[in-house]
Amino acid sequence: MKMLINVPETVVADALRGMAAAHPELAVDVENRVIVRKDAPVAGKVGLVSGGGSGHEPLHGGFVGPGMLSAACPGEVFTSPVPDQMVRAAAAVDSGAGVLFIVKNYTGDVLNFDMAAELAEDEGIQVAKVLVNDDVAVTDSLYTAGRRGTGATLFVEKIAGAAADEGQPLERVEAVARQVNENSRSFGVALSACTTPAKGSPTFDLPDGELELGIGIHGEPGRERRPMMTSGEIAEAALDAILDDLSPRSPVLVLVNGMGATPLLELYGFNAEVQRVLGERGVPVARVLVGNYVTSLDMAGASVTLCQVDEELLRLWDAPVRTPGLRWGM
């Protein structure tokens, strides 16, 4: 496989050096693998820290900035960051108002963020944690006990980030983040496997003419493998799975997310089918976001995430944000 890299061993460090050069508004510590808002800590503001394995960009480092995360901790490709990174990030953003850890439900992330919370509290930092587990495809997987954390991570980080930027207290920011997660469901599909730099070949075998329904963001197995389907058929399958588990009583945010190698031409066409199905199911749509946000290296495919919102959550979603990966209103 051809890749735009030097050697696999320096992929993450090289990317962080490039990110630092492109975004001087961020403090990027390449050696310690921590990305922080340069204005942190902000007096009276709850700090938001997230992180996970690299390869899902712009998640999480691309979501650091006003209106979203205070800091992010990138691990090696598809590998959890270590507790020292998270403690360093928490110390960098803590203003005395506390820090919220936003954790995707993958075993390594959960264990390391739990350990980091204990270490940070030993240093006098008040820490709360919210687990994101929105994927309805499977209950358990190779990487998780329980549902995986996927596209809803963006909704949690954006909406909780807006609440924190307003100066809301830690208990309220945590509650908002939990509400967003509880109101969100996701389902993904892979048209091709991804290729990690270390392996240099596809992580699993997906024959021509087939797709995998319910795939995870690391290439974990999904619900089933089928012959290739049309965009409309995929939208119906994804939304049937989501709406079997979520019965929206109010409008929803919609994320149509590319897995890394799917062109926007296809994603917008897929969104048209998603909107058709939601209309047929009588689900009102408040806002739509289309693009590559929670990716899996060079995987072709897409995921759909719905988040039921009330007026307050929608207000926080619409609040200004300025990060490398998401920006409006500023």
Side-chain angles (χ1 to χ4, degrees):
M1 299 293 292
K2 297 178 181 177
M3 293 185 174
L4 196 63
I5 66 173
N6 292 316
V7 294
E9 293 77 13
T10 66
V11 164
V12 175
D14 291 344
L16 290 175
R17 289 191 297 106
M19 187 175 198
H23 297 287
E25 72 276 14
L26 302 178
V28 181
D29 184 338
V30 177
E31 180 180 356
N32 293 299
R33 307 287 175 89
V34 177
I35 303 164
V36 183
R37 287 175 53 165
K38 269 196 174 171
D39 62 352
V42 178
K45 176 188 174 306
V46 170
L48 263 64
V49 175
S50 193
S54 296
H56 306 304
E57 290 75 19
L59 188 82
H60 295 272
F63 297 149
V64 175
M68 226 163 163
L69 293 177
S70 306
C73 307
E76 291 296 329
V77 172
F78 291 177
T79 303
S80 173
V82 298
D84 284 353
Q85 290 173 258
M86 303 156 191
V87 174
R88 189 180 295 272
V93 304
D94 180 38
S95 68
V99 174
L100 179 66
F101 284 169
I102 299 173
V103 188
K104 301 190 305 303
N105 188 31
Y106 294 95
T107 302
D109 289 358
V110 172
L111 292 174
N112 287 346
F113 269 101
D114 282 349
M115 187 180 300
E118 294 179 6
L119 294 171
E121 287 170 348
D122 288 343
E123 295 184 7
I125 301 171
Q126 184 182 5
V127 176
K129 302 187 299 293
V130 169
L131 191 68
V132 182
N133 58 352
D134 55 302
D135 185 7
V136 302
V138 294
T139 301
D140 298 297
S141 75
L142 299 175
Y143 292 80
T144 63
R147 290 179 168 177
R148 301 175 292 214
T150 57
T153 313
L154 182 151
F155 289 149
V156 172
E157 292 178 355
K158 170 62 185 76
I159 292 174
D165 269 23
E166 288 183 352
Q168 296 192 29
L170 179 59
E171 296 78 8
R172 177 56 186 159
V173 176
E174 178 188 3
V176 165
R178 291 190 188 281
Q179 182 183 1
V180 173
N181 178 63
E182 290 166 2
N183 288 5
S184 298
R185 302 291 189 277
S186 296
F187 191 90
V189 58
L191 309 183
S192 74
C194 59
T195 302
T196 62
K199 190 169 187 289
S201 60
T203 53
F204 62 94
D205 177 48
L206 186 56
D208 291 342
E210 295 187 3
L211 54 75
E212 183 98 17
L213 289 174
I215 200 73
I217 58 174
H218 306 96
E220 309 97 305
R223 284 188 174 185
E224 60 179 310
R225 191 165 288 188
R226 290 189 190 177
M228 187 60 194
M229 302 156 66
T230 67
S231 177
E233 291 168 340
I234 294 170
E236 290 167 0
L239 288 165
D240 282 347
I242 290 171
L243 295 174
D244 279 348
D245 202 86
L246 179 72
S247 300
R249 298 177 303 280
S250 59
V252 296
L253 306 176
V254 180
L255 171 63
V256 173
N257 172 70
M259 302 305 293
T262 305
L264 278 171
L265 180 71
E266 296 178 30
L267 289 177
Y268 279 119
F270 182 52
N271 179 54
E273 296 300 327
V274 168
Q275 300 305 316
R276 172 185 63 80
V277 176
L278 290 174
E280 292 172 355
R281 303 290 196 275
V283 179
V285 175
R287 302 286 187 272
V288 182
L289 185 65
V290 179
N292 289 285
Y293 294 101
V294 183
T295 62
S296 184
L297 293 169
D298 60 342
M299 181 185 287
S303 63
V304 179
T305 304
L306 303 185
C307 177
Q308 180 177 248
V309 291
D310 55 22
E311 289 185 4
E312 174 65 3
L313 293 185
L314 185 58
R315 183 187 70 79
L316 292 170
W317 173 256
D318 286 341
V321 59
R322 188 172 74 248
T323 72
L326 198 69
R327 58 179 61 207
W328 57 69
M330 285 186 174

